[in-house]
Every structure is written in C-alpha cells, then in structure tokens.
Amino acid sequence: MSDETEISTGQTPDQFDLVIRGGRIATASDVFDADIGILDGRIVALGQALSKGLREVDARGKLVLPGGVDAHCHFDQPSADGSRMADDFDSGPRSAAFGGTTTVIPFACQQKGQSLRAAVEDYHARAKGKSVIDYAFHLIVTDPTAQVIGQELPALIREGYSSFKIYTTYDDLKLDDRQILEVLALARREGALTMIHAENSDIISWLTEALEQDGKTAPRFHSAARPAVAEREATHRAISLAEIVDVPMLVVHVSGGEAMEQIAAARARGLRVFGETCPQYLFLTADDLDLRGFEGAKHICSPPPRDRASQESVWHGLANGTFQVFSSDHAPFRYDDTTGKKLRGENASFMHVPNGIPGVETRLPLLFSEGVGKGRISLQQFVALTSTNPARLYGLYPRKGTIAVGADADLVVWDSTREVTIQNEDLHHNVDYTPYEGYEVTGWPQIVFSGGNVVVENGELIAKAGDGKFLECGTPDILL
Ligand code: DUC
Ligand code: ZN
Ligand code: ZN
C-alpha cells in the first residue's frame, strides 16, 4: 500500500467530519498505524495521509481502540429487599464513558409475576433520555410462564433483545432445572444466547443457616456461605443442561479455577460454552471481606472473590481462551447508606447485605495495566475480551466492537503511558467507594468518541444526557 492509499468501501470524501491521525490502532486481530476517517458517525476510511477532517485529532504516540463494550452491568435495577442501586442510566453510562466504554448492556429484569414485556417497557422508561453512550438490554427471566416462553420471549428476541440471563440462586430470581431446560429450549429455537449465574442455591442456604446459628454473620462469612464448590456444581449442571438441549450458553462472573475447569472441559468437547469473568476476581480475594467493622461489606458480591491461586487461574483463563468476555458486573450500592450496604444497619448479617460492587469505570484501565502492561495478555486479547467478543456474542458486531470501515466511530484514544492512582473522588459513579482505591495503573483514556462525537475529553464530559441511543441486538455470533 502506498502512503497515499485510503481503504474504503466507496469513494473517499474530500473532507471527513473527523480524522484521528497517526495513532496505533488495535483490533482483536491486528495492531497497525493508520489514520481513521469518520463521516456521519461511521468509520469510512482507514489509511495513510487521509485528506482533511473538519476536526483533526493528533493521536501520534497514542493507541486507538474500539470503545469498550461492557456487557454485564446493572443500572437502576430494583431488588426485592428494597435496596436501591446508586447508579441509574445517567450516572452509570457516564461513569462507563470516563473509563473508555462506549456501549453498555445492562439488564431489564422481570419481577416474578410481571410480564416480560412490562419489564422491558419499565427499563426503557428508566433509561429514556439519560445515557451518554449507546446501550442495549439483556433480559433477566425469573418467571418463565407459558405466556413468557410461548409468546413474550420469542417476540422480544426478534425485536432486538437476543440474550437473557437466568439464575440458579437468589429466591426472587432463581429457576429450577426443569425451568432452565424450558428456557434453553426456547433459546435454541430462537437463536438467543443464555447467560447463567451458576451457584448452587441449596448449598448456599444450608451453609448460611449453619453460619447464622453459630453467630457467624460478619461480612467475611459471605465467602464461607458461597464456596467455590457451590459454583463448580452449578456450572457443571448448567453446562449439562445446555448439552442436553444442544444450545450455546455463557457462564457469567466466573470466580476461579473450579468453575473454569468445567467450562474448559466443555469447550474441549466441542460444546459452545463461553465464559465471562470480572475485575473483582483478578484484584480482590476473600480477605477483602475481612476488614475492620462492617467495611468488608463493600466487597460482598456473588460469587465472592476467592484467593490468590484463583486470581492466577483467572489470569490464565483470560490468556488461554477459557474466557471470551471481561465485564464489570457493576452492581452499585453505596456503602455508608441505608439504601445500600447498610440497608439493615452495620450489624446486619451478611445475608442481608446487597450483593454487588462497582467497577464500570475502572474495568479497562485495570485490565490494561495489569494485563497488557505486565505482559499477561496481548493488546489484541485485551480488545477481544473487552470489546470485540461481547459485541459478537450479543449481536452488535461489526457495528460495535471493532475499528473497520462501516463500523460506528466508537473509539478511544488511549494514553498507554498515563499513570493514575485510582481514587473514588475522581470517579464518576454515584457510589461512595471503589474497591480499587489506591491502585496504581498505567494507561487511561484520553478522548472517548461515540458515533464520531466526543463524549469525554481530557477528563471533561462533553456529551449530553440522552446522546446515547438504544441498540437492538441481532443474532449472537457463537462461533468464538
Ligand atoms: N451478583 C449478581 O449476581 N448480580 C449483581 C451483583 C452480584 O454480586
Ligand atoms: Zn449474577
Ligand atoms: Zn450481575
């Protein structure tokens, strides 16, 4: 290719809306130096010495990445216990954007007894006019009635809600094995992707009762009540059910080696089983639930963080392809607040503490710094895990998740040398803590574009609430 060549599908315009010039572009497969020409919100040219743009961005010395796709985050999701999430569709996506994410896929959660259609309408109302970046919805199916299985879910899948999460635990959410088989069969018929939260509910409730009887109710006992064996058993069972139905499945928020072995073994047998993990399983351990007073409640999430060996296993799984997706599982509850972790006060049993930790803004910097920066994963793997693979699995690719002619210009100019000490006061979520306070990372977004428009530049929010669009998801690409 000569220096003057421009690669594009049609004729190259005389003037682009935007040219991002001289950056090092990283995709899931390649790293190369090129200019990016953008017109009407889309990438229309990749090449050397592209003609002028109305706006020019000098990205020399910087990486240019496809915007992150955070395919597991919870915003404004009510819980049966009356707790309230700290982030809604305004603060959640804004915080995501500051961390280099340009697409979020939170959940529209069906309450038991509620129609799935009503749940979707409810979440659209919650999100309307708020998000600064594009968003889609996964469904959460908690009540697979004949009406849901026979009509609502098939219709919704065809309308752009092509993935849904199911649970094996939590009384207000869980399905039994028979119900799981029914929804998996429906997923197979309709070509949807099922995400599963895999922990054995009876093991957890039996252990919880025993711990409570012994007065062991401090936050640290949350980990003891939800051991890796409970996750391994449910993962094995979930995979078995998917195998019976012959349908793909993605196991979400995998915490360590035991569950990973089940996924790896299934994949080795040729099953379309996928794995997702999250920052908390790389950076936290059960010791983080064993802090002074009630502070350990900040790190209560499920499955819980395990130990150093599990962290190492998860790093290996990211490098060796056991995991396809790295999401935040941002589930934001304020700590010092009776809407959040202190819902039932400071002496509440761990079983009454809302589950979940924040992380939508720190997901990419943490993985980049400790993964790419320390040589544990390649830059291409980083892009695949955080952007391309979730876009593919959830039917948004190639519009999202890559840098290619025709893709949305959702891009991040990434300063791979910027050193940042993570401090909650600098983050943009509405949570009063970050689990990663004081972590030193190298690499941070400098400019974040959505559809060619600047969302965040040098730490300033430029986009307005409502600039983000709702995305209909297409057919999951399960050939990963
Ligand atoms: N566990 C979940 O299953 N969802 C949200 C947060 C958590 O800890
Ligand atoms: Zn879950
Ligand atoms: Zn979750």
Side-chain angles (χ1 to χ4, degrees):
M1 199 196 315
S2 88
D3 265 9
E4 302 302 314
T5 309
E6 293 177 358
I7 311 164
S8 74
T9 46
Q11 78 271 35
T12 305
D14 293 339
Q15 193 169 48
F16 300 98
D17 294 336
L18 168 68
V19 175
I20 301 174
R21 211 172 277 288
R24 175 149 296 180
I25 295 171
T27 68
S29 56
D30 300 296
V31 179
F32 56 100
D33 295 340
D35 304 337
I36 306 175
I38 292 147
L39 195 65
D40 295 332
R42 300 223 167 173
I43 297 168
V44 292
L46 293 171
Q48 309 296 328
L50 291 188
S51 52
K52 264 196 78 56
L54 278 174
R55 177 170 181 193
E56 294 266 332
V57 169
D58 180 2
R60 282 173 300 172
K62 303 285 188 298
L63 293 173
V64 185
L65 310 174
V69 177
D70 194 339
H72 188 156
C73 44
H74 305 261
F75 303 137
D76 200 8
Q77 187 180 314
S79 302
D81 63 7
S83 58
R84 205 167 62 234
M85 287 196 165
D87 287 311
D88 63 5
F89 287 86
D90 180 4
S91 62
R94 188 185 329 131
S95 180
F98 272 98
T101 289
T102 54
T103 299
V104 283
I105 317 182
F107 296 89
C109 180
Q110 178 195 28
Q111 316 277 333
K112 282 204 199 289
Q114 185 187 32
S115 97
L116 205 46
R117 175 74 63 185
V120 169
E121 282 166 10
D122 176 24
Y123 280 84
H124 272 291
R126 291 169 188 270
K128 196 170 179 340
K130 290 200 174 142
S131 183
V132 293
I133 54 173
D134 291 354
Y135 62 99
F137 285 120
H138 307 290
L139 308 173
I140 293 178
V141 179
T142 64
D143 202 358
T145 59
Q147 164 82 6
V148 166
I149 295 280
Q151 287 155 46
E152 292 190 356
L153 190 47
L156 286 164
I157 291 166
R158 288 174 214 159
E159 288 170 33
Y161 309 86
S162 56
S163 49
F164 57 81
K165 184 177 177 188
I166 55 175
Y167 288 77
T168 58
T169 182
Y170 298 130
D171 289 344
D172 54 330
L173 302 173
K174 71 182 180 194
L175 305 187
D176 63 29
D177 290 356
R178 172 68 200 233
Q179 291 172 313
I180 292 173
L181 287 165
E182 302 285 358
V183 295
L184 288 176
L186 178 271
R188 187 175 196 276
R189 288 196 294 276
E190 297 293 336
L193 184 63
T194 308
M195 310 157 76
I196 192 153
H197 177 132
E199 290 183 289
N200 180 307
S201 189
D202 287 328
I203 292 177
I204 293 166
S205 63
W206 187 77
L207 287 173
T208 300
E209 252 177 68
L211 288 162
E212 294 229 305
Q213 271 164 22
D214 286 351
K216 294 177 173 167
T217 60
R220 71 175 188 277
F221 293 109
H222 175 80
S223 304
R226 306 182 90 101
V229 177
E231 185 184 357
R232 181 189 70 198
E233 186 284 326
T235 303
H236 179 86
R237 182 161 36 98
I239 291 170
S240 305
L241 299 176
E243 184 174 4
I244 296 282
V245 176
D246 186 22
V247 67
M249 169 182 276
L250 185 143
V251 185
V252 294
H253 47 48
V254 174
S255 72
E258 288 83 350
M260 284 170 56
E261 280 168 14
Q262 304 304 316
I263 296 168
R267 290 178 65 80
R269 288 193 293 119
L271 299 181
R272 295 270 177 221
V273 172
F274 306 104
E276 175 205 72
T277 193
C278 314
Q280 48 271 39
Y281 307 118
L282 292 175
F283 298 101
L284 302 179
T285 67
D287 289 346
D288 291 296
L289 280 75
D290 189 8
L291 301 182
R292 203 167 35 87
F294 196 60
E295 295 256 332
K298 291 178 177 174
H299 303 130
I300 285 186
C301 63
S302 297
R306 310 277 178 204
D307 57 13
R308 295 263 168 226
S310 300
Q311 293 180 339
E312 276 314 303
S313 300
V314 173
W315 277 115
H316 285 306
L318 289 167
N320 72 17
T322 302
F323 293 116
Q324 292 69 44
V325 182
F326 187 75
S327 309
S328 67
D329 196 7
H330 181 82
F333 296 99
R334 293 176 67 81
Y335 171 65
D336 203 5
D337 203 309
T338 52
T339 66
K341 296 288 184 181
K342 295 189 182 172
L343 185 69
R344 303 261 188 114
E346 296 216 35
N347 296 313
S349 164
F350 66 84
M351 70 177 289
H352 297 303
V353 177
N355 281 209
I357 61 174
V360 77
E361 190 165 342
T362 44
R363 175 183 72 120
L364 295 177
L366 284 168
L367 187 68
F368 182 87
S369 185
E370 287 297 311
V372 182
K374 303 253 168 97
R376 290 170 164 128
I377 56 171
S378 69
L379 183 54
Q380 292 96 319
Q381 286 177 311
F382 171 79
V383 172
L385 287 158
T386 58
S387 179
T388 315
N389 290 349
R392 286 180 63 179
L393 280 169
Y394 299 117
L396 292 170
Y397 186 86
R399 179 173 173 193
K400 307 293 186 188
T402 193
I403 298 180
V405 169
D408 282 1
D410 291 6
L411 300 162
V412 180
V413 177
W414 185 273
D415 184 347
S416 57
T417 62
R418 181 158 167 220
E419 295 176 1
V420 173
T421 303
I422 294 175
Q423 302 186 103
N424 196 55
E425 64 186 33
D426 298 330
L427 300 179
H428 302 83
H429 60 195
N430 193 27
V431 186
D432 54 356
Y433 74 97
T434 167
Y436 312 109
E437 186 76 30
Y439 276 59
E440 291 176 4
V441 294
T442 304
W444 202 265
Q446 184 185 337
I447 315 180
V448 179
F449 297 93
S450 169
N453 296 314
V454 178
V455 184
V456 170
E457 183 164 11
N458 295 323
E460 291 291 317
L461 181 70
I462 309 296
K464 294 188 307 304
D467 282 353
K469 295 176 294 301
F470 170 68
L471 302 166
E472 290 176 8
C473 292
T475 306
D477 172 359
I478 45 100
L479 299 177
L480 280 178

